[in-house]
Amino acid sequence: MARRVAAAVAGSHHLLVQAGTGTGKSLGYLVPTMVHAVTSGERVVVSTATLALQRQVLTKDSPLAADAVEQATGRRPEVRLLKGWQNYVCRHRAAGGYPDDESGTLFSAAQATTSRVGSASTTGVGEQVVRLREWAGRTTTGDRDDLVPGVSDRAWAQVSVSRAECLGSSCPVWDECFPQLARAAAAQADVVVTNHAMLGVAASGNPNVLPEHAVLVVDEAHELADRVRAQGTVTLSAGAVARVAATARAQAGVLVTGLEEAGQHLQLALAELPDGRLTEGVPPGLRAALVLLGTAGQEVLTGVREAAKATGAAEAGGLALARTAVADMIAAVERITSDSVDTRRDVAWVERPRMGAEPPRLTLAPVDVAGSVAGTLLDGRAAVLTSATLSLGGSFEPMARALGLNLADRPWEGLDVGTPFDYARQGIVYTPTHLPRPGNGISEAALDEVLALTEASRGGMLGLFSSRRAADEAAALLRRATDLTVYAQGDDQLPTLVEAFAAQEDSCLVGTLSLWQGVDVPGRTCRLVIIDRIPFPRPDDPVAQARSEAVEAAGGNGFMSVSATHAALLLAQGAGRLVRRSEDRGVVAVLDPRLRTARYGTFLARSMPPLWPTREREVVLGALARLAGQS
C-alpha cells in the first residue's frame, strides 16, 4: 500500500485503496505522504470520518510515522490539527463579549440535549458554563475534546461561535483566537489532520476553510459523500423563523413583526402539504410563503446592519449573532426558491418529525455530490481515498462514481491490499432461506431465529436492525425469554452501551444504523452478528428516489446504482463487526433470504467479507454452541 500511495502522489493521480481492519492502513498512507511533504515542500491534508478518529491519527499514528520519516529523511514532518470553528472556545464570548442565551431563544429543544458521556448529563447548563469559562482562561488549545469531563452542546454553545458569527480582526482578543491560531499553524504545517465535516464545508462552496495543499488523503472514504451531502442540506420551519426573529429583536432591537407573520404563513403553507417529496417542485402556495419570508428577512437584515452602524463594540457580539441567523435563513430561502429543484440539482421534501409530534418542516438536499467533490476536493491535486469497504460487488466503480473520480481531471486506479484475516476459517455467514421475505416490520419467524441463534451462542450478540421498532421487539423478546443481559439503543448514550457490551462477553447489544459502523469489539464478546434484513434505503427516501431517477435519466440502472450500492456498503460494514482480530471467531446471520435468492444477491454477497457461507440451521447452531462452551 505504501509503495502505491507513493506512486500515486508522485504521479499526481488518484488512488482508491481498500485496506481491511488490521492492515495498518494509517501508517500505509502517512509514511509515504509525509516523505513527500518533507522532500517536496507540498502540504498534505488527511481527513478522517470522525473527530475521535482524527485524534487517534494525530496522537497515535502520526508520531509513529513521523519517527520513521525523520530517521529516513533527516527531517521530522510538522503535523497540526484543524477542526471547524465551533470546536474551539471563543475567548471573547467566554469573557462575556456575546450575550448569554438565558431566554432560550437561540436554541431549539433538540439543540439543547446532552450528547456526551459524563457529568454533562447530571449538571445544569449554568454550572457547566461556569466551568467552561474558568477552563477558557487556562487552556492552551481551546479544543473542546481537551475538556474532560465534557459538557452539553447547549453549554458549549455559550462559549463558542461559528465562523460567520466571529468578529474577526475587530475582536479585542483576535490575536489570541484559538480557531484562528489553529488555522495559522495549519498553514505552516507539512501535514494537516482534519475531518470529513470540514471537507463537506469546502465542497459546499467554502474551499478556503482548508489550507493550500497538493495531496489529499481521505480515511474512511466510504462516508465522504454522505458528509458532503449533509453539509449541503438546509431546513426551514416556522419554529426556526420564530427563533431567528427572536434573536434579531433581542440582539439588534429591530422590528420583526413582518418576519414573524411570514413565519406563520410558512407554517400554514407547509400544513397544507402531505409528508414526502415535492416531486413537481415547490408548489405555488409554498413558493409565495417563501418569497414573503425572503422579503421580510431582507428587511430585518437591513435593520440589523443599520443597528450595527449606530452601536459600539460592546454590542458587536450580539449583532453578529443576529446578522448570521437572518443571513443564513435568507440563503436557505433563496436556494429553495431557485430553479435547483426544477432542474433536479436539489430534492425537497416536507416532513413532520417525531411521528407528527412536531410541526412540519421543509428540507432541501443536493441530489448528487460527485461533481462538487471532483470540482473542489480533487481538482488540481493527488488524492488517496481509503477504507475497509470501497470495493462493492467486486468492483471499485460504484464508489468511484459516488466520489466523483470519474469526473475528476486526473486518472484513478483501485487497489485492494487484502486482509490479514482468514475469513473462511474464522467465520460463517448464515442465510436462512426458509424464512419469509421481509415485509413491514420484523416477522415472528425472524424473531424466533434471533432467539434461537442468541440462545445457542449464550449471548455475545450484536443485533443490527433496520428499524428502531424491530430492535425494540428483539430486545423485549430476549429479555423475556432468556436470562441474558440485553442492552438496547436508546437505553443510554451509545458509547456507554458499547462499553458495557464490550465488558461483558455474554451480553447482547441491539440497535439500528448507529451500530452498523464504527463499533470495534474484538474477541469473544462479539461472536454473533445478526442482521435482520438487507438494508436498502426506505422506498420513500427522497434523496434515494431523486438519485435513482437521475441515474435512470442518464441511461443507467437506478436500483443497482443507488439502492443496491447503499445496501452493499452497509452489509459490508455490518458484517465487518464480527472479525476484528486474527483470533476472532463467529457467525454473521443475515435473516433475509433475498441475499441468496434475488438476482442482486450476488452483488451484495460479494461486497461482504468472504466468510464461509451456509444455509444449514443446525450447522450454525452447533458452531455457536461450541463457541459458547469455550472458556
Side-chain angles (χ1 to χ4, degrees):
M1 175 180 174
R3 286 194 296 268
R4 294 287 289 274
V5 169
V9 171
S12 196
H13 63 267
H14 305 315
L15 178 67
L16 281 174
V17 185
Q18 178 162 287
T21 302
T23 56
K25 70 176 185 295
S26 296
L27 294 178
Y29 63 70
L30 282 172
V31 170
T33 55
M34 283 182 171
V35 169
H36 178 81
V38 298
T39 57
S40 70
E42 294 182 331
R43 185 175 298 108
V44 176
V45 166
V46 176
S47 178
T48 66
T50 63
L51 294 176
L53 183 56
Q54 182 185 46
R55 179 165 286 270
Q56 175 187 317
V57 170
L58 182 78
T59 61
K60 178 183 177 183
D61 302 326
S62 290
L64 287 175
D67 288 343
V69 171
E70 184 178 23
Q71 185 176 2
T73 67
R75 183 187 159 197
R76 187 175 186 84
E78 184 177 356
V79 183
R80 289 291 181 265
L81 178 67
L82 184 61
K83 299 181 179 181
W85 209 267
Q86 287 177 288
N87 289 284
Y88 301 93
V89 68
C90 170
R91 289 185 185 274
H92 187 46
R93 185 161 199 174
Y98 287 75
D100 289 335
D101 175 37
E102 296 177 356
S103 65
T105 58
L106 302 183
F107 306 96
S108 67
Q111 290 171 312
T113 58
T114 297
S115 67
R116 296 201 169 201
V117 180
S119 64
S121 60
T122 58
T123 58
V125 171
E127 183 179 340
Q128 294 174 49
V129 171
V130 170
R131 181 162 64 88
L132 275 169
R133 287 174 172 163
E134 187 274 331
W135 174 77
R138 55 183 170 83
T139 176
T140 58
T141 66
D143 187 340
R144 181 177 180 177
D145 282 345
D146 290 340
L147 175 68
V148 179
V151 296
S152 68
D153 287 349
R154 180 155 191 171
W156 182 257
Q158 294 296 296
V159 296
S160 65
V161 297
S162 68
R163 180 65 185 93
E165 294 165 341
C166 176
L167 301 180
S169 58
S170 64
C171 176
V173 290
W174 177 247
D175 291 340
E176 303 172 19
C177 173
F178 286 120
Q180 178 63 18
L181 290 172
R183 272 148 186 75
Q188 301 300 317
D190 299 300
V191 178
V192 176
V193 182
T194 187
N195 56 73
H196 293 2
M198 291 287 284
L199 296 190
V201 173
S204 299
N206 299 282
N208 292 333
V209 299
L210 299 173
E212 288 293 328
H213 57 287
V215 179
L216 173 67
V217 178
V218 183
D219 201 343
E220 299 297 308
H222 65 277
E223 295 194 38
L224 178 60
D226 284 342
R227 299 300 177 91
V228 172
R229 182 172 287 107
Q231 288 294 331
T233 298
V234 297
T235 300
L236 273 177
S237 67
V241 175
R243 289 191 291 274
V244 170
T247 300
R249 180 195 298 112
Q251 309 307 331
V254 297
L255 184 66
V256 296
T257 304
L259 183 57
E260 291 173 328
E261 292 176 352
Q264 295 169 4
H265 281 285
L266 175 64
Q267 181 161 349
L268 292 173
L270 290 175
E272 294 178 356
L273 299 173
D275 279 3
R277 181 181 166 199
L278 302 179
T279 55
E280 303 301 321
V282 180
L286 178 57
R287 182 174 293 277
L290 290 169
V291 170
L292 180 64
L293 179 60
T295 301
Q298 290 288 359
E299 292 175 354
V300 171
L301 184 59
T302 299
V304 172
R305 288 170 174 164
E306 291 298 321
K309 296 177 183 178
T311 56
E315 292 79 25
L319 288 165
L321 296 178
R323 182 187 65 250
T324 301
V326 179
D328 286 349
M329 184 200 71
I330 292 172
V333 170
E334 289 176 345
R335 184 169 155 204
I336 295 173
T337 54
S338 71
D339 65 350
S340 67
V341 176
D342 293 334
T343 57
R344 306 297 195 222
R345 298 195 309 276
D346 287 324
V347 57
W349 67 94
V350 176
E351 58 185 343
R352 290 164 174 80
R354 296 177 56 200
M355 305 293 291
E358 294 182 16
R361 65 187 183 193
L362 177 64
T363 302
L364 188 82
V367 173
D368 184 22
V369 299
S372 60
V373 171
T376 56
L377 302 182
L378 305 181
D379 185 47
R381 59 181 59 93
V384 176
L385 303 103
T386 184
S387 169
T389 47
L390 287 179
S391 175
L392 301 178
S395 171
F396 286 99
E397 287 287 343
M399 195 60 69
R401 287 195 299 270
L403 295 173
L405 290 171
N406 60 326
L407 303 175
D409 61 343
R410 304 181 184 202
W412 68 274
E413 60 178 337
L415 169 67
D416 187 344
V417 301
T419 173
F421 305 140
D422 187 346
Y423 281 109
R425 285 182 172 272
Q426 291 184 243
I428 296 171
V429 58
Y430 168 52
T431 310
T433 52
H434 65 276
L435 292 180
R437 180 188 177 108
N440 292 328
I442 186 169
S443 68
E444 289 296 325
L447 285 171
D448 289 343
E449 200 75 13
V450 170
L451 178 60
L453 293 167
T454 306
E455 285 184 323
S457 180
R458 289 302 303 159
M461 188 272 281
L462 175 65
L464 307 177
F465 292 86
S466 55
S467 69
R468 183 66 173 270
R469 179 179 175 182
D472 289 344
E473 289 184 25
L477 173 63
L478 293 173
R479 286 166 173 163
R480 185 171 63 249
T482 74
D483 60 355
L484 299 170
T485 300
V486 180
Y487 300 106
Q489 186 175 345
D491 291 347
D492 204 326
Q493 298 185 81
L494 206 54
T496 302
L497 294 175
V498 173
E499 182 178 354
F501 172 62
Q504 188 175 352
E505 69 176 33
D506 292 332
S507 63
C508 303
L509 173 61
V510 300
T512 56
L513 190 59
S514 298
L515 294 178
W516 286 71
Q517 304 182 72
V519 174
D520 186 11
V521 183
R524 280 178 42 78
T525 298
C526 185
R527 55 188 178 270
L528 170 62
V529 175
I530 295 178
I531 298 173
D532 71 327
R533 65 194 299 162
I534 296 172
F536 292 120
R538 294 192 336 264
D540 61 346
D541 180 88
V543 175
Q545 285 180 351
R547 290 178 61 207
S548 295
E549 291 171 5
V551 171
E552 289 166 0
N557 186 319
F559 171 78
M560 291 301 297
S561 294
V562 179
S563 296
T565 297
H566 172 91
L569 178 59
L570 281 179
L571 277 175
Q573 288 285 315
R577 300 310 97 201
L578 180 71
V579 178
R580 312 299 294 174
R581 303 292 186 273
S582 59
E583 301 81 16
D584 291 350
R585 302 289 187 274
V587 172
V588 173
V590 183
L591 310 184
D592 190 334
R594 294 175 295 177
L595 185 62
R596 298 298 176 195
T597 60
R599 288 192 300 173
Y600 52 78
T602 300
F603 172 79
L604 300 178
R606 290 181 64 188
S607 304
M608 299 171 65
L611 303 165
W612 184 72
T614 185
R615 308 180 187 189
E616 300 299 323
R617 189 172 193 260
E618 295 307 316
V619 170
V620 173
L621 294 178
L624 288 171
R626 288 191 294 275
L627 284 173
Q630 295 176 1
S631 59

